[in-house]
């Protein structure tokens, strides 16, 4: 009963589950339950006319687990060392074999036990056979008997079956295919990651088996993989042939019971440097250096093959070799186990080339040909940028092994247009040609979209106006004397930041306070004038290095570096009335005209009568300085004796006598025609006012404010000096020890913050003048005007201001006959902390009157005038007196307590 139970026929689902198990487990279950596995497979094939295509089972490690295979530890190589070549071929997880129906079955496939043949007969008769190859190598046709097919190729078996049906059945065609492929057991041994027995399909090759097993260890050989059958080596597989040449001819299919043996790795060589595939390569047989370089993919373009370094470990130490790969001997150099091959980098210096730099369309290195000249390299002006200077260009040439340079100067325009001229310099190998900028604003002149350019220009103008407005507001607020009456209600349109008085409803003209004179100036009147003043007073030498200086800086520095005790640096200085004053390389056989071209040529202020060359010379071991005059006009024309230019000469182009293009003065206020006026040196204040039409009938000459730029610069330096002194005094004060009886009312840190605020104060440069006397022609008062002067003539303002330590600071109407004391009394009198001994009066013209020195409260004192301001300062000793009184009170209080204690 048990035997009958065990021999029960399994269901279709049970058969499918059985097929999904490995072959070994199928046989084990078949023996356990008494089922003929081969018959069960054959019967299933005969019952189903169309069997769905089966897939090749996954390689199964017998006695192990697929999970163990996938989780096998991966060998890692340190990142700072070279990796052995070829082992990455096996990286990753093992993948299952592809389905049989996805692969064309080769004709040389050897049929064996377990394969299922799908035979279809159609024509006169239609019949389907699915026959399994038995263990004895036969297939059994129900009508025609057995046929031997084992160990025969699939192509031979197909012809054999077709021949049998042709002989026995007339009028039929036959197709033969394999619907299910057998599985077989193979063995992997040696230096593989997962050695052991594996169940694989009949199409498995050597590489597929190795991949299925997880790959080869880095200690295993990739060039001597052995396929053993029946104890004999029948094939040796070199994986390098597949990896390097794509040759898979020796990647043969395995048979049942085959063994793949991976021996230990053979000799190895290290290849690094400028090579395509730096790695560790396994050697085989007699290997030459050429073979190794070929395996490594060859040298990179920058690799230096004339001297390849080979280091070999010997018993006596490391022995180096230098091998020239350009020779046959070097290519046949025998490489041995442990050698280290290094391909060095070639020299990256340009060879047989010239270099073009600067204002050219295509910068870079160009091939040099013997006899090449400038015109061969730059054939026409289309090769240049629009900003290229055609009058000045340089050729920098190395002259010796130390890479010292000489500089050759030429006229680029003549070199292009007149190739036969001397300006078309013959080039040498390694020359560098520099083309410089001519200073033209190409962004404007080359702009094709005028609307876009004007839009951008308008935006830039608006930004400049805002910056100027903010600057005026800041200056006025720091001066603290002109802002309170001009800034109206603040709004949301940044008027408060710009310092303008603006009426939004009436769109009244915007005005600002000139910080130099305190004049209220309308914006629309001053915009163009300010730009005119900037254009007229702008100095070419603004202290910033020109673009040409920046372009020449590398050449200048190199010339300085090659100077020594025997020769000075080959540079000259050109200053004065030239477009680009500065240091310039001294060209070979330089002329005076060449150096003028280098500096951009003469300006309109240049004096052609005489220039000066200053030369330093060592005579009798002593440095002397000599000056040589030169006639500029003759030198330019090439007339007369030409003075040779020496190294480190200084050429000074003088300016024409009395040449001042920036002599302008600005008249503001009650002048008939206010504005900016140019003047000739020597003109006086009276001359300029007369040219402006004189003063209006509303002018108040006694209150005129005069500002001078030169005095402003002097005041700025004095303010800086006073600020430094103030900080020093505060610092020394902070170091003093405070006593309990005398404390500072203000901490040193607060005083330092005040000093920092004073540091931002801007100088005014105001000069006290007497305009009425100047207009009368007084020699003392009628001063000569200077560039940058400003004169503000205010309107009549019959007001006297009282400020400082008074009860109520105010502006009082001027009344003749009232004294200083009268005006102070009208302001409520002085406060208790007022210093009545130092009251002073600031006149409308900026002068100061001390009433005490003018017999104050006497009838002989100077009379006040409209526009005067009475200042009552604070008594700085007042707080110290309070401190003394407080200290004395504390002393008396302590004495009283002590006396009371004694009496008690």
């Amino acid at each position: 009963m048990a035997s009958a139970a065990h021999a029960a026929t399994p269901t279709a689902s049970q058969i499918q589950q059985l097929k999904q198990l490995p072959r070994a487990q199928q046989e084990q279950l078949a023996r356990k339950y008494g089922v003929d596995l081969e018959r069960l497979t054959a019967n299933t094939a005969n019952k189903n006319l169309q069997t769905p295509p089966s897939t090749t089972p996954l390689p199964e490690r017998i006695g192990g687990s697929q999970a163990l295979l996938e989780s096998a530890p991966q060998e890692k190589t340190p990142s700072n060392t070279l990796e052995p070549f070829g082992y990455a071929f096996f990286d990753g997880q093992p993948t299952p074999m592809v389905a049989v129906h996805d692969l064309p079955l080769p004709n040389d496939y050897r049929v064996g036990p377990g394969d299922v043949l799908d035979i279809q007969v159609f024509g006169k008769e239609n019949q389907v056979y699915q026959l399994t190859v038995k263990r004895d190598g036969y297939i059994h046709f129900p009508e025609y008997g057995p046929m031997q097919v084992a160990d025969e190729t699939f192509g031979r078996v197909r012809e054999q079956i077709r021949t049998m049906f042709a002989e026995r059945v007339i009028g039929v065609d036959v197709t033969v295919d394999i619907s299910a492929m057998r599985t077989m057991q193979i063995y992997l041994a040696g230096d593989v990651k997962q050695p052991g027995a594996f169940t694989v399909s009949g199409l498995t090759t050597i590489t597929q088996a190795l991949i299925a097993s997880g790959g080869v260890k880095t200690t295993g050989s990739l060039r001597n993989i052995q396929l053993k059958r029946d104890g004999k080596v029948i094939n040796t597989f070199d994986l390098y042939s597949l990896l390097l040449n794509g040759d898979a001819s020796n990647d043969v299919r395995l048979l049942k019971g085959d063994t793949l043996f991976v021996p230990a790795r053979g000799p190895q060589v290290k290849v690094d440097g400028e090579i395509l595939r730096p790695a560790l390569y396994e050697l085989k047989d007699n290997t030459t250096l050429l073979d190794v370089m070929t395996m490594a993919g060859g040298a990179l373009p920058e690799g230096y093959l004339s001297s390849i370094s080979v280091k070999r470990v010997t018993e006596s130490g490391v022995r180096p070799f230098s091998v020239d790969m350009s020779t046959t001997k070097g290519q046949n150099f025998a490489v041995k186990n442990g050698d280290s091959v290094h391909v060095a980098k070639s020299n990256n210096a340009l060879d047989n080339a010239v270099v073009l730099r600067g204002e050219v369309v295509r910068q870079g290195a160009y091939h040099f040909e013997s006899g090449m000249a400038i015109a061969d390299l730059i054939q026409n002006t289309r090769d240049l940028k629009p900003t290229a200077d055609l009058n000045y260009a340089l050729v920098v040439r190395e002259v010796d092994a130390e890479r010292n340079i000489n500089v050759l100067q030429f006229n680029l325009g003549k070199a292009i247009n007149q190739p036969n001229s001397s300006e078309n310099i013959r080039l040498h190998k390694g020359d560098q040609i520099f083309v410089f900028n001519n200073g033209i604003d190409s962004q404007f002149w080359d702009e094709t979209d005028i609307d876009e350019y004007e839009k951008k220009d308008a935006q830039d103008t608006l930004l400049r106006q805002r910056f100027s407005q903010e600057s005026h507001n800041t200056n006025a607020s720091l001066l603290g004397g002109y802002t309170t009456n001009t800034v109206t209600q603040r709004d949301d349109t940044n008027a408060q930041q710009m310092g303008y008085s603006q009426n939004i409803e009436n769109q009244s003209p915007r005005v600002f306070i000139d910080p130099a004179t305190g004049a209220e100036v309308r914006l629309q009147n001053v915009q163009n004038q300010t730009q005119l003043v900037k254009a007229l007073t702008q100095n070419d030498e603004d202290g910033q290095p020109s673009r040409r200086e920046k372009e020449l800086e590398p050449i200048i520095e190199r010339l300085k570096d090659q100077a020594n005790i025997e020769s000075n640096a080959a540079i000259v200085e050109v200053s004065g009335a030239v477009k680009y004053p500065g240091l310039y390389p001294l060209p070979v056989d330089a002329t005076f005209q060449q150096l003028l071209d280098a500096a951009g040529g003469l300006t309109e202020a240049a004096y052609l009568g005489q220039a000066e060359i200053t030369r330093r010379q060592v005579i009798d071991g002593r440095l002397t300085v000599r000056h040589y005059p030169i006639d500029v006009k003759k030198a330019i024309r090439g007339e007369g004796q030409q003075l040779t230019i020496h190294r480190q000469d200084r050429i000074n182009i003088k300016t024409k006598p009395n040449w001042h293009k920036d002599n302008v003065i600005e008249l503001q206020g009650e002048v008939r025609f206010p504005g900016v006026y140019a003047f000739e040196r020597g003109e006086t204040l009276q001359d300029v006012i007369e040219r402006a039409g004189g003063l209006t009938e509303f002018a108040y000459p006694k209150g005129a404010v005069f500002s001078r730029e030169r005095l402003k610069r002097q005041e700025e330096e004095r303010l800086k000096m006073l600020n430094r002194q103030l900080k020093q005094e505060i610092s020394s004060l902070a170091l003093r020890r405070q006593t309990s009886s005398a404390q500072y009312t203000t901490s040193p840190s607060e005083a330092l913050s005040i000093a920092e605020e004073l540091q931002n104060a801007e100088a005014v440069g105001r000069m006290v003048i007497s305009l009425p006397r100047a207009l009368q022609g007084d020699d003392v008062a009628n001063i000569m005007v200077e560039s940058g002067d400003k004169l503000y003539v205010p309107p009549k303002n019959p007001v006297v201001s009282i400020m400082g330590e008074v009860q109520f600071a105010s502006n009082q109407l001027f009344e003749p006959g009232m004294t200083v004391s009268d005006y102070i009394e009208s302001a409520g009198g002085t406060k208790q902390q007022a210093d009545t001994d130092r009251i002073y009066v600031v006149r409308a013209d900026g002068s100061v009157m001390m009433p005490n020195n003018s017999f104050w409260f006497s009838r002989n004192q100077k009379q006040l005038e409209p526009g005067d301001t009475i200042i009552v300062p604070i008594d700085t000793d007042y707080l110290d007196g309070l401190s003394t009184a407080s200290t004395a009170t504390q002393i008396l209080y302590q004495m009283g307590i002590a006396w009371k204690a004694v009496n008690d």
Side-chain angles (χ1 to χ4, degrees), residues 590-647:
T591 63
F592 183 77
Q593 179 62 49
Q594 282 184 320
L595 294 175
L596 291 183
D597 292 338
L602 300 174
T603 65
E604 56 183 344
Y607 177 58
L608 301 182
Q610 187 187 73
E612 184 180 69
I613 297 180
T614 301
R615 181 170 299 160
R616 297 188 304 171
Q617 294 176 319
V618 177
I619 301 177
D620 297 332
R622 183 176 181 180
L623 180 64
T624 61
V625 178
R626 301 290 177 87
H627 306 284
Y628 300 93
I630 182 172
D631 190 322
V632 179
K633 186 179 298 185
K634 291 183 178 180
I636 293 176
R637 294 176 180 175
E639 300 175 356
Q641 183 178 2
Q642 297 295 319
L643 187 64
T644 304
I645 309 298
H646 291 185
R647 297 186 176 199

Side-chain angles (χ1 to χ4, degrees), residues 117 119 129 131-132 134 136-149 160-161 164-165 168:
L117 300 180
I119 306 170
Y129 299 94
L131 306 178
T132 303
K134 302 297 183 180
D136 55 3
Y138 286 88
I139 57 174
H140 298 271
F141 289 95
E143 295 87 354
Y144 311 113
M147 178 183 292
Q148 176 69 31
V149 295
Q160 186 177 347
I161 294 175
M164 183 199 71
F165 275 97
R168 298 186 181 185

Side-chain angles (χ1 to χ4, degrees), residues 451-749:
D451 294 336
E452 289 296 327
Y453 186 87
E454 290 179 349
K455 181 179 179 181
K456 181 179 181 299
D457 184 65
Q459 294 174 351
D460 294 341
T461 302
L462 180 60
L463 292 176
R464 288 195 298 267
Q465 290 177 357
R466 289 183 177 178
F467 176 78
S468 176
Q469 294 163 9
E470 293 173 359
S471 176
H472 285 307
N473 184 50
T474 303
N475 295 337
S477 63
L478 290 175
L479 293 174
Y482 305 111
T483 58
T484 56
N485 297 327
T486 57
V487 180
T488 59
Q489 185 70 26
R490 297 183 178 181
D491 50 47
D492 297 332
T493 58
N494 294 334
Q496 60 179 17
Q497 299 178 1
M498 300 180 183
Y500 286 94
S501 175
Q502 183 176 12
N503 190 325
I504 303 300
E505 297 178 357
N506 300 329
Q507 293 297 322
S508 60
R510 292 180 294 176
V511 296
F512 76 95
I513 301 300
D514 190 331
T517 61
E520 187 178 87
V521 185
R522 293 179 181 271
L523 178 62
Q524 62 266 33
N525 293 337
V526 80
Q527 276 183 341
N528 296 333
Q529 295 178 4
T530 304
Q531 294 177 3
L532 177 62
V533 171
K534 182 178 179 181
L536 292 176
T537 60
Q538 187 175 7
N539 193 351
D540 293 335
E541 300 180 10
D542 55 358
Q544 298 296 328
S546 65
R547 180 166 183 173
R548 180 156 296 186
E549 287 184 76
K550 296 178 181 178
E551 292 173 335
L552 286 170
E553 184 178 0
I555 304 175
I556 297 293
E557 292 300 323
R558 190 166 178 181
L559 290 172
K560 288 181 179 179
D561 292 340
Q562 70 185 36
N564 51 46
I565 191 63
E566 298 178 356
S567 62
N568 297 328
I571 56 178
V572 293
E573 181 181 358
V574 183
S575 62
V578 291
K579 188 176 181 180
Y580 303 115
L583 292 177
Y584 289 90
L586 179 63
V588 177
D589 300 329
T591 63
F592 183 77
Q593 179 62 49
Q594 282 184 320
L595 294 175
L596 291 183
D597 292 338
L602 300 174
T603 65
E604 56 183 344
Y607 177 58
L608 301 182
Q610 187 187 73
E612 184 180 69
I613 297 180
T614 301
R615 181 170 299 160
R616 297 188 304 171
Q617 294 176 319
V618 177
I619 301 177
D620 297 332
R622 183 176 181 180
L623 180 64
T624 61
V625 178
R626 301 290 177 87
H627 306 284
Y628 300 93
I630 182 172
D631 190 322
V632 179
K633 186 179 298 185
K634 291 183 178 180
I636 293 176
R637 294 176 180 175
E639 300 175 356
Q641 183 178 2
Q642 297 295 319
L643 187 64
T644 304
I645 309 298
H646 291 185
R647 297 186 176 199
Q648 296 192 351
D649 280 357
R650 185 181 187 275
I651 302 174
N652 180 29
I653 305 300
K654 298 179 180 179
T655 305
K656 294 176 183 177
N658 295 326
W659 176 268
H660 295 280
K661 69 175 181 179
D662 54 354
N663 281 347
V664 290
I665 181 174
E666 185 177 356
L667 302 182
Q668 303 170 345
E670 297 301 323
V671 183
R672 190 170 299 277
F673 300 106
V676 178
Y677 288 86
F679 62 86
E680 184 181 0
R681 190 175 185 184
E683 288 192 55
T684 62
L685 198 58
Q686 181 186 16
D687 299 332
V688 177
I689 294 177
E690 289 178 355
R691 290 169 49 201
L695 305 180
T696 67
E697 63 272 22
F698 308 106
Y700 183 56
K702 291 184 178 181
V705 178
F706 185 81
S707 173
R708 176 156 287 178
E709 190 68 25
R710 177 168 53 86
L711 297 178
K712 181 179 179 180
R713 292 192 294 267
Q714 293 177 359
E715 288 182 14
E716 288 175 352
E717 295 301 323
R718 291 173 184 171
L719 284 175
K720 292 179 182 178
M721 181 184 66
L722 291 176
N723 186 266
R724 289 194 297 267
Q725 292 178 354
L726 178 60
K727 289 183 178 180
Q728 292 176 358
E729 291 293 335
I730 295 174
S731 301
S732 62
L733 185 64
L735 296 176
R736 297 175 186 173
R737 186 176 181 180
Q738 294 184 350
T739 62
S740 59
S741 60
Q743 300 290 334
Y744 298 125
T745 58
T746 302
S747 66
S749 60

Side-chain angles (χ1 to χ4, degrees), residues 302-320:
E302 56 267 26
Y304 185 60
L305 299 180
S306 297
S307 180
I308 294 180
S309 173
V310 179
K311 295 181 180 179
R312 179 169 298 166
V313 179
T314 63
E315 294 181 355
S316 58
V318 178
R319 182 181 178 185

